[in-house]
Amino acid sequence: RAPSSNPVKNLEARRDVSKDYRATSEMKEMTDDFIKDYLGPGLSKAADLDGLKSPAPRPSPRKNSTAINNNKGFANEAVSALQATEDYTKVKLNKGHTQKAVKEVAGGREQLQETLLVQIKGKQSMQTRLVAPNFSSLNSHEVFLLITPKTLYQFNGKHASVLKKSKGTELVTSITMGREFKCQADKATVLEQVRGSYLIKQFQKHLKITSESQEISERQRDDEEYEREKNGSNLGYILDDDMRSFNLVPELSGKRLKQARLLDTQIYCFDYGPEVYVWMGRTADRTARRNAMIAGRQIWESKPRPDWGIFQRIPGSLEHSLFREKFKDWPDTNAVNVLKVKVPNVPKKDALTFVEMEPCDATEMRRPLPEAPPGLVLEMTDVGRGDGLPTDLSQDIFGHDVETTGVKMWRVTTNGYEEYNEISYGEFYSGENFIIRWAYRVMQGGKKQEHDTGRDRAAFFFWQGKDCTIKEKGKAAFATVEVDSERAPQIQLAQSTEPPAFLQIFNGSMVTFHGKIDSGDESRRLFLFRGELEKEGSLTQLPSVRCSYLRSRASFVLQDGDMFYVWHGCKSRAHTVAGSFSAANKLAKRLFPDSKPTILELQEGREEKEFWAVFEGGKRDYYNLQNDDRMYARSLRLFNLYEDKKRFVYKEVEYNGRVSKLAAPHPFTQADLYLAEQPALFILDAIYTVYVWVGWWPSHSPDGELIANTGSANTDFTERYKLTLQTALSYGELETKDKPEMVVVHAGSEPTEFQCLFPWWKEWDDIPSDLPGPTSLDQELKKFLQTEFTLKELQARPPPVVCDPLRLEQYLSKTEFKAIFNMAKEDFKCLPLWKQKKLKQAQDLF
């Protein structure tokens, strides 16, 4: 057989090579000879090695260059090692973790505890702070992270919000992926307070017990107050020029900073109470780095600090999550980076580099809405308007009935909540918060059965008045959690946004008074009626009794002591007239249960003198439709237009109380416009007039920071504004019977006829007073057709709305451009960008 060309197979075929190890007598004799020759004549075999007490002196390889040859090929170091008799089993190495790991760093000692307890608390400006690793630090309203060398726990208080839990999960990911704080845990053990278990006991073992009570605190501190206090106590320092001490910088103190404030050439020290960090930029001076820790240690020792605190050096680009969370905009280091790959062999003209947005489809916008708005879904069951769903075999829908079995109310107080008087059920106040438990039963089959089998269900609504503070609204949410021991669905309701299912609970007797419950009784009050069905009707008290609140398309109830006037506008529909009179009767019985007050109905234009005498200042002129012969037989429609993923789209604002074939006089409120993200753009179809409503540029963010409008932001808004005008023009032209008037209005300068399209209107704060008044849509569109402007017009701030703020010079005429820049537009474009910028700045065009 011919030998193989594979060397491995040839080696395996050899019979003179053993495939396993066998100790032979010759090898044992060689070992004993080596011990005798090199380790001394007194040792004759390997077992006598234990008798050695000290290693032989270690020769220098430089002085004994021939030692290897004299020792038969073995170096002196190898011989010395074989002669050593050190017992390494008794040697104890320093552990990587101690109870307080302290090390020297550039002359200053870092301090980092082995066990860290981090609290996550806040709402808009979430605070991640180190707290004492004691059991008493825990709170049922917050989220905590317990970090040890081998374990990581996330403790979720039973009242903790979803935002806090989400932030905790985000920090856990950062700690485990980056092995931060020397934590070797691969994942976190998530503990829910409501689930008492063995794991929670293990979690508690890491915490100190400082009191006899081991109950987790239920006391809560207001999140917003906590955020203000923590942000206000932040101190920021920068290393001075002599690189020996830190100087306090007011611009870096008393607030939560942005990451951009950190310069790579500087060294900063940030004092967060129990946490002090010395942050070193990547290109900071080396000498400054050595001195910074000594100077930072002086700040650490300048005031009493807890022994569980942190004093640490933070190199630039190696920040851990606890430091990053002190800044408001630090990017997520765990985010997945998407590699953008350029597709080959694609013609440049076909590459998707810019997508030009188009106006919305006006034909689609004019399509009629579904007959009924979406119902309220509870426990995966659509309860409709509160009475169930009808059977519709054409749509394969088998209906069900919903029956109310009980109602209970609580009023949220400063210290908790209290039961509401049953005779006052249905009474609400704009300055109060209420909790309503609705007990109901669902019966299948489309009709009530003699022996219904539906189980008893419940839902909790926490109703929030429009005049309540954010703190008071937060208390209502927490109180609902405490009241709801059944784990039933919880629904938040803002005043004037109640769904029909909620309104039907009170069968048309709901009334919302202005102010707080202890404001005192008023003898004169004006109420507006809202609701398309009698059992869904409600009355809302207006802030004052003034003629300016009257609307020709609505019905009102005016109270003067025990006298009630039901006033119907000249365009009020029949269902509104009937519903308002029924609501007035129920209000009169509520306020005067032991007497029979007088109720008088009045039509607009046929009022009695006694009616006008009740108003403040008597009869005053107000906007009305008495001289308008047109019919208002359909509801208004409202559309919000915005950009979404480089597409210009719209979303219709839907009125949840809508009823098919019944015209709602005032389906929308001012809040629908003003509480949208600004600057917003809306189209309001008011039947005979189509309005384009333009929002305002806010000067401050929700956090209170000043907002600077950039040129690109203005350009984007200008494009959206142009598309909105074009959409509104197409929308109006589709009206075949009566062509509507097209008007553009701006926030803060709406005309009276526009304000009266809403049930009530008030002056809004923080809106610029220099916004333009109403203009025609055609006039606004003509501005976008103008292509040339004078130098003076372009120097105005803001510049013309059609102009791109980044290239204002291109809107000059050729003659004026050459006179100003002494060159043609084509030559100007060939200049370097820095030179173009310099020339434009000289003419105030940048």
Side-chain angles (χ1 to χ4, degrees):
R1 182 180 178 181
S4 172
S5 61
N6 191 327
V8 177
K9 292 184 177 181
N10 289 334
L11 183 61
E12 291 179 348
R14 291 178 57 181
R15 296 184 178 181
D16 58 334
V17 178
S18 177
K19 296 183 180 180
D20 57 354
Y21 171 78
R22 295 183 180 88
T24 64
S25 59
E26 295 178 359
M27 296 175 65
K28 294 179 180 178
E29 292 176 2
M30 290 175 61
T31 304
D32 291 340
D33 290 343
F34 172 79
I35 294 172
K36 182 177 180 180
D37 293 341
Y38 296 105
L39 302 185
L43 300 175
S44 60
K45 52 186 177 180
D48 294 331
L49 284 172
D50 295 337
L52 294 177
K53 298 300 181 183
S54 61
R58 181 177 182 179
S60 172
R62 292 181 179 272
K63 294 181 180 180
N64 301 295
S65 58
T66 62
I68 296 178
N69 295 327
N70 295 336
N71 291 331
K72 299 180 180 181
F74 291 93
N76 288 338
E77 289 82 353
V79 176
S80 299
L82 290 170
Q83 292 175 339
T85 59
E86 292 287 346
D87 186 2
Y88 288 102
T89 61
K90 298 181 180 180
V91 176
K92 294 183 178 181
L93 300 177
N94 291 328
K95 294 183 178 180
H97 301 282
T98 58
Q99 183 60 26
K100 181 188 288 187
V102 179
K103 61 180 180 179
E104 295 287 338
V105 178
R109 298 188 307 280
E110 282 191 316
Q111 175 168 316
L112 179 63
Q113 293 286 353
E114 182 182 62
T115 301
L116 302 176
L117 185 63
V118 178
Q119 175 184 263
I120 301 171
K121 180 177 177 62
K123 186 178 297 183
Q124 294 182 346
S125 178
M126 198 75 71
Q127 299 292 316
T128 304
R129 298 282 179 157
L130 193 68
V131 295
N134 302 333
F135 186 82
S136 58
S137 298
L138 300 180
N139 189 290
S140 62
H141 296 271
E142 321 302 344
V143 172
F144 294 85
L145 299 183
L146 180 64
I147 308 169
T148 69
K150 296 182 180 181
T151 57
L152 178 60
Y153 294 94
Q154 178 178 340
F155 175 81
N156 297 330
K158 62 183 179 181
H159 302 310
S161 66
V162 176
L163 292 176
K164 296 176 182 177
K165 294 179 182 179
S166 176
K167 176 61 69 174
T169 304
E170 179 184 326
L171 292 177
V172 164
T173 303
S174 179
I175 293 171
T176 54
M177 292 184 64
R179 300 296 184 192
E180 297 176 359
F181 310 108
K182 301 180 181 179
C183 180
Q184 301 302 313
D186 294 325
K187 61 181 181 179
T189 302
V190 180
L191 305 175
E192 300 288 346
Q193 183 185 346
V194 295
R195 307 176 188 167
S197 67
Y198 169 76
L199 290 175
I200 292 184
K201 295 180 181 178
Q202 292 296 312
F203 167 74
Q204 295 173 353
K205 287 183 180 180
H206 295 279
L207 302 176
K208 297 179 182 178
I209 305 299
T210 57
S211 62
E212 295 181 359
S213 174
Q214 295 189 23
E215 294 292 330
I216 296 177
S217 174
E218 294 283 342
R219 291 179 297 177
Q220 183 204 13
R221 187 177 178 187
D222 182 64
D223 284 344
E224 295 181 352
E225 179 184 344
Y226 180 83
E227 291 171 2
R228 288 193 297 269
E229 177 185 325
K230 290 301 180 183
N231 289 332
S233 64
N234 296 342
L235 298 177
Y237 303 82
I238 192 169
L239 195 66
D240 58 13
D241 295 336
D242 61 5
M243 296 182 292
R244 294 188 178 276
S245 61
F246 282 102
N247 294 331
L248 182 65
V249 181
E251 290 79 9
L252 302 178
S253 306
K255 57 185 176 181
R256 197 176 184 190
L257 301 176
K258 293 185 176 181
Q259 185 198 14
R261 298 302 299 267
L262 300 181
L263 303 179
D264 284 337
T265 58
Q266 300 291 341
I267 297 179
Y268 303 86
C269 182
F270 295 101
D271 185 353
Y272 301 110
E275 305 169 56
V276 175
Y277 301 104
V278 177
W279 186 88
M280 300 184 179
R282 289 178 294 180
T283 59
D285 185 77
R286 291 186 178 181
T287 305
R289 291 171 180 265
R290 290 194 294 269
N291 297 336
M293 288 302 293
I294 299 176
R297 189 73 189 183
Q298 295 174 356
I299 294 178
W300 171 262
E301 297 175 348
S302 64
K303 62 177 72 171
R305 310 276 183 179
D307 57 358
W308 44 266
I310 291 180
F311 171 63
Q312 198 174 24
R313 171 179 176 266
I314 305 291
S317 74
L318 295 177
E319 300 85 359
H320 53 64
S321 56
L322 192 55
F323 178 80
R324 294 196 303 266
E325 286 299 318
K326 303 299 189 295
F327 296 80
K328 64 173 64 176
D329 62 343
W330 204 290
D332 185 5
T333 57
N334 298 315
V336 178
N337 294 322
V338 180
L339 180 62
K340 295 183 179 180
V341 181
K342 186 175 181 180
V343 180
N345 301 326
V346 176
K348 194 170 183 179
K349 62 180 180 179
D350 295 335
L352 188 61
T353 56
F354 176 75
V355 178
E356 184 175 358
M357 295 187 294
E358 297 180 351
C360 297
D361 187 350
T363 303
E364 183 181 346
M365 295 172 65
R366 276 199 171 271
R367 288 179 181 173
L369 290 168
E371 288 192 4
L376 181 64
V377 179
L378 300 173
E379 299 185 56
M380 302 181 67
T381 301
D382 189 347
V383 299
R385 306 181 78 95
D387 51 6
L389 293 178
T391 297
D392 186 356
L393 297 179
S394 63
Q395 300 293 330
D396 291 332
I397 298 176
F398 294 91
H400 53 264
D401 288 328
V402 175
E403 180 184 38
T404 298
T405 59
V407 179
K408 193 171 183 180
M409 285 185 65
W410 294 266
R411 171 177 166 261
V412 181
T413 63
T414 305
N415 300 321
Y417 55 90
E418 62 183 16
E419 287 194 27
Y420 211 37
N421 192 338
E422 188 172 352
I423 63 173
S424 300
Y425 283 5
E427 289 184 16
F428 296 83
Y429 292 81
S430 65
E432 302 281 357
N433 293 285
F434 295 89
I435 302 170
I436 301 92
R437 179 185 182 273
W438 176 42
Y440 64 98
R441 182 175 297 172
V442 177
M443 292 159 289
Q444 302 295 336
K447 61 179 181 179
K448 298 181 181 180
Q449 307 292 330
E450 294 182 2
H451 304 285
D452 59 75
T453 57
R455 63 179 176 88
D456 291 331
R457 306 188 188 189
F460 285 82
F461 300 91
F462 54 103
W463 186 93
Q464 299 172 332
K466 64 181 181 65
D467 297 326
C468 292
T469 63
I470 296 178
K471 183 177 180 180
E472 291 172 334
K473 293 178 180 179
K475 288 181 179 179
F478 285 116
T480 306
V481 175
E482 294 180 5
V483 171
D484 182 11
S485 60
E486 309 167 59
R487 299 288 187 87
Q490 299 174 7
I491 303 97
Q492 177 184 3
L493 296 179
Q495 181 180 339
S496 303
T497 64
E498 301 88 356
F502 179 82
L503 297 171
Q504 287 202 17
I505 295 175
F506 306 102
N507 195 26
S509 64
M510 178 179 172
V511 57
T512 303
F513 294 99
H514 182 70
K516 290 189 173 292
I517 196 170
D518 53 359
S519 301
D521 294 334
E522 302 177 55
S523 60
R524 293 184 174 183
R525 289 181 282 210
L526 181 63
F527 299 88
L528 169 67
F529 174 78
R530 297 189 76 195
E532 314 317 315
L533 299 178
E534 185 175 327
K535 58 184 177 181
E536 297 174 6
S538 66
L539 293 173
T540 302
Q541 183 186 352
L542 300 170
S544 59
V545 184
R546 296 181 181 178
C547 296
S548 57
Y549 284 113
L550 297 177
R551 306 283 190 265
S552 293
R553 295 188 62 189
S555 293
F556 294 79
V557 176
L558 177 64
Q559 178 194 358
D560 182 17
D562 59 354
M563 180 70 182
F564 291 85
Y565 298 95
V566 184
W567 182 89
H568 304 300
C570 61
K571 303 297 181 181
S572 184
R573 309 295 294 177
H575 68 278
T576 303
V577 171
S580 60
F581 185 77
S582 174
N585 278 276
K586 294 175 182 177
L587 176 65
K589 292 179 180 179
R590 180 187 295 276
L591 298 179
F592 300 93
D594 300 327
S595 60
K596 190 175 182 180
T598 304
I599 301 176
L600 181 63
E601 282 190 277
L602 299 173
Q603 293 291 331
E604 184 177 15
R606 301 177 184 176
E607 301 89 353
E608 299 178 353
K609 293 182 180 180
E610 292 79 8
F611 172 80
W612 295 115
V614 182
F615 287 86
E616 297 177 10
K619 183 178 181 180
R620 298 290 180 90
D621 291 336
Y622 66 96
Y623 180 79
N624 61 79
L625 303 175
Q626 294 184 63
N627 297 325
D628 190 345
D629 297 331
R630 296 173 297 185
M631 297 291 294
Y632 290 82
R634 67 175 177 89
S635 302
L636 280 64
R637 300 184 70 173
L638 182 65
F639 305 90
N640 182 18
L641 294 92
Y642 56 95
E643 179 185 346
D644 181 34
K645 299 178 181 179
K646 298 300 181 182
R647 294 172 56 247
F648 192 63
V649 297
Y650 74 93
K651 181 180 180 181
E652 184 163 5
V653 181
E654 193 164 355
Y655 172 46
N656 57 15
R658 174 171 53 85
V659 177
S660 178
K661 299 180 181 180
L662 291 182
H666 301 290
F668 312 110
T669 64
Q670 184 185 7
D672 291 323
L673 303 177
Y674 278 69
L675 294 185
E677 184 177 358
Q678 302 298 333
L681 293 165
F682 284 87
I683 293 178
L684 177 62
D685 179 2
I687 306 177
Y688 301 109
T689 306
V690 173
Y691 291 95
V692 174
W693 185 86
V694 186
W696 71 97
W697 283 98
S699 58
H700 293 80
S701 68
D703 296 334
E705 290 194 356
L706 188 65
I707 296 178
N709 297 329
T710 62
S712 59
N714 281 312
T715 303
D716 292 343
F717 176 74
T718 300
E719 179 66 16
R720 297 195 303 271
Y721 178 49
K722 175 184 176 181
L723 293 171
T724 302
L725 296 177
Q726 294 173 342
T727 303
L729 181 63
S730 301
Y731 185 92
E733 289 177 346
L734 289 176
E735 181 62 51
T736 57
K737 189 175 181 180
D738 296 317
K739 292 293 182 181
E741 184 182 1
M742 314 291 286
V743 182
V744 178
V745 298
H746 289 78
S749 59
E750 298 92 345
T752 305
E753 57 268 25
F754 180 86
Q755 297 178 6
C756 288
L757 297 174
F758 299 85
W760 48 77
W761 194 271
K762 71 170 186 176
E763 297 297 326
W764 212 267
D765 298 331
D766 302 329
I767 295 183
S769 58
D770 56 348
L771 293 175
T775 55
S776 68
L777 188 140
D778 291 338
Q779 185 178 349
E780 286 293 302
L781 276 175
K782 286 180 181 178
K783 295 180 181 179
F784 289 94
L785 301 177
Q786 186 175 351
T787 58
E788 292 186 357
F789 296 86
T790 64
L791 177 63
K792 187 176 182 181
E793 290 174 332
L794 295 173
Q795 289 175 337
R797 294 295 179 269
V801 66
V802 70
C803 296
D804 183 351
L806 301 180
R807 44 192 302 273
L808 294 174
E809 73 284 354
Q810 297 300 321
Y811 296 94
L812 293 166
S813 65
K814 292 183 178 180
T815 305
E816 191 171 9
F817 188 96
K818 190 167 186 178
I820 294 172
F821 295 103
N822 199 25
M823 67 181 75
K825 290 185 178 182
E826 294 75 13
D827 298 332
F828 183 86
K829 293 179 181 179
C830 297
L831 295 175
L833 293 179
W834 66 268
K835 198 165 187 177
Q836 293 184 25
K837 177 180 176 181
K838 188 175 181 180
L839 292 173
K840 290 192 292 183
Q841 285 178 332
Q843 301 297 331
D844 195 20
L845 292 175
F846 185 81

